[in-house]
Amino acid sequence: MVVCSHFRESLPFETFTDADYSDHGGFSGAAPATDPIITLSVFSSESFRRRLPSSVMSLLPVSANRTSSALTTQRLLYQLSSDQLAIQKQYDQLSSGRRVLRLSDDPAAANRALGLNRSIDRGEQLVRNANSVSGFYDSSDDALSRIDNALIQARGAAVEGVETVISDDVRTAIATTVREAIQSVFAAGNAMFRDQQLLGGILNSDAAFQYDGNEIVYGGNSAVGRTEVGLGTPSSINVTAAESLGAYSMILEGDPLNASLDHATRLVDMRGGKGVTPGVIRISGGAEYTTVDLRTAGTIGDVADVLSSLEISGRKLDVTLLDDSIRVAYADGLAGTLAIEDSAGSTLAHDLSIENPGGFSAPPIIGDKLMPRVTTSTKIEDLDYGAGVDLSSGITIQQGQQTFNIDLSDVETMGDVLIAINRSGADVHASLNEAEGRVQLRSLRSGVDYSIGENGGSAARSLGIRSATETTRLSELGRGRGLVLNNDSVDLTITRPDGTELGLDLEGAETIEDVLTLIRNHPQNQDTSRVLVSLNQMGNGIELQAPPGAAPIRVSQNQFSNAGTRLGLIAEGESEAFGVMDGSVNKVAGVDYLPLEAGGALDTLMRLEAAILSGNEGEIGRLQSRLDEDLDRASGARSRVGIWSRNLLDMKAATETEIVQMKSQLSNEVDADLATVISDLSQRQIAMEASMRIIGQTSQMTLLNFL
């Protein structure tokens, strides 16, 4: 055994007896218990090494062999450098409080820490989002609360205003109360938070409502902001003026427009919007199948072009697009077998209704009911199932006392029609419901009536947006109050220029068409001097015309009936109307019998103010029910904000709890145990001191030390 006896005094090692050696697989020779020696390099038992203090472990291995001085010095300097680095690492842990300062310290823990840090950052961002959204909710609730209070106040004023015996001063005071409610709703509708409209659309910094004379114009948008405040669907941060005030209300949704197939009709627009999925089909003339890859087809024209270029069993195909179908046959027009099938995973032939497995049906194969939907790119010539419509005359929009004539003579697509309407200057917004192929018109101005009619042709009817037609029900007239008719007697009398009277009993009539039919078919109106009746060619309303005679046409309503007024033939407050000469005929041109109201809380309040000032009890009573609807709408919007706010608090609390838990896990992964670090540092310092002593003593050794 090699013993470095001169190290005995300087090394802080335990004293081992020979019993210790024998217990740990050491030499069998005895060793004096009072003579500690370094024999570390010859023991390999792990159980023995575990009994050594860390200060000893830091010195392993200390070579006891006869080596060169340079190698011994290099090994000892390496030992000293390792001790210095270990001490510096522990100093870093003490100063930072972190056990893992870099990935190399503990790669597994560092990887877990990175994931926890990302989750904590995301959670903290969600909390910041929640704090920001909470401000929107609180401000929105305040604005909606003011709207609720104003509508309740106006509802009370309407109840007072419907009294029959009220002085002018009292009536004016009641109307002033309604005016204050209008101002309150107007201000709440323009409420802002962080330079953004609360009700007028997110990211809109301008006032949503503005006065134009005595009328109010809505200039906001329907944009809704959303942000993530927890896991799941992003939460809305605002309600719109349409949801809370009924602004931007839809005043008209036109009749469905029917389009025909066109070479440029997109596959996604077919089958009523369900679409046709491009795929691979197989075609056979009775022998082998030809595979046709149509996965890149975008339009029905692409499908037709590819199929028309094929030769099946030496015969070319002829593919024709019809109004609502596609026809596949042989170009020579002769019969034969024409099998069309979908390849595995494809549904193209099935979607186009041209599937013909095994050639069971003889050509031509016709796939019908493809129903292309109407989009902004649909051509005007493709409307009405391909017959096209004539829009050259244009349409007329009556807005209060203003009339806007819209030129549609140059439009080519439905998108052009919408642009022409939206740029007309009228306070309406036109859009297209592509799912149903309907033109939608929304109002932007409160306090006025709207009317969409003709400008000398049939463009409005062709677009399905003429607001008053023959199908209008009589129960809809008078703003939903219908007609007041006499019991079993004449309700309306039309006196022709020749003096012939046409008495009309409207009992049983249900639509405007029924009224027109009664006039046309009246027994006293079948000669050459008959009264012709139709809808106005300009605007809306009923038009009566007859050859000139001794007196003009006269329309009168009898007894208690208000049929003439509600049909737009007699002015409000009058009992009769007279015709005027228009060229070679005598004519009564009625006004629109179905004016459209802008809708919404502000429109209701403005109409209520006017009705109270004029003492129109019937109108006040009608507007009371509308006020109830407006209040329900505003209260519903406020309720939604309250629910959002409650959910927001719950999600915020859950996120904050999750952040605390993740920070605790992060601390367990990367934070240092200060007690352990201090203990290890003390031992490292002892080990470093030992290393320095060894270096100092070995640097003085001579050859005699090894003899």
Side-chain angles (χ1 to χ4, degrees), residues 192-215:
M192 302 186 72
F193 180 76
R194 292 184 179 176
D195 297 329
Q196 296 186 39
Q197 287 284 326
L198 289 172
L199 306 180
I202 202 69
L203 300 180
N204 179 22
S205 59
D206 297 328
F209 296 93
Q210 295 182 352
Y211 269 101
D212 184 10
N214 294 324
E215 299 163 357

Side-chain angles (χ1 to χ4, degrees), residues 205-434:
S205 59
D206 297 328
F209 296 93
Q210 295 182 352
Y211 269 101
D212 184 10
N214 294 324
E215 299 163 357
I216 298 176
V217 180
Y218 177 68
N221 57 58
S222 57
V224 175
R226 289 184 173 84
T227 188
E228 190 172 353
V229 294
L231 298 177
T233 305
S235 301
S236 300
I237 66 176
N238 67 297
V239 294
T240 65
E243 295 171 322
S244 57
L245 291 174
Y248 196 59
S249 297
M250 186 183 301
I251 57 175
L252 177 65
E253 185 171 35
D255 299 327
L257 300 173
N258 301 299
S260 69
L261 283 180
D262 181 81
H263 193 275
T265 300
R266 300 185 305 174
L267 295 178
V268 295
D269 293 330
M270 297 173 62
R271 300 173 65 212
K274 295 180 180 179
V276 171
T277 304
V280 180
I281 62 176
R282 302 167 64 240
I283 303 178
S284 172
E288 295 183 356
Y289 276 88
T290 299
T291 300
V292 185
D293 189 350
L294 293 167
R295 289 175 292 183
T296 60
T299 66
I300 188 64
D302 295 338
V303 175
D305 290 343
V306 172
L307 296 182
S308 295
S309 65
L310 296 178
E311 285 192 8
I312 305 299
S313 300
R315 303 172 65 186
K316 287 188 65 64
L317 292 181
D318 176 57
V319 181
T320 306
L321 297 180
L322 305 176
D323 291 342
D324 193 35
S325 60
I326 181 172
R327 179 180 183 275
V328 184
Y330 286 113
D332 55 22
L334 302 177
T337 299
L338 183 57
I340 304 176
E341 301 175 0
D342 278 309
S343 293
S346 174
T347 61
L348 178 60
H350 176 269
D351 292 345
L352 291 176
S353 299
I354 57 173
E355 202 172 19
N356 188 29
F360 180 78
S361 300
I365 308 301
I366 298 178
D368 59 356
K369 297 183 180 179
L370 299 182
M371 300 180 296
R373 66 176 179 176
V374 177
T375 67
T376 54
S377 60
T378 299
K379 298 178 181 178
I380 302 301
E381 62 187 26
D382 291 334
L383 295 178
D384 193 17
Y385 296 110
V389 296
D390 181 10
L391 304 181
S392 59
S393 60
I395 63 176
T396 298
I397 296 180
Q398 185 79 24
Q399 173 184 294
Q401 301 302 315
Q402 295 178 288
T403 300
F404 299 88
N405 296 321
I406 302 173
D407 182 10
L408 301 177
S409 58
D410 295 328
V411 299
E412 296 182 355
T413 66
M414 284 303 302
D416 296 337
V417 173
L418 301 181
I419 292 173
I421 295 175
N422 291 333
R423 292 182 178 178
S424 65
D427 293 312
V428 298
H429 182 267
S431 60
L432 184 64
N433 180 350
E434 295 189 355

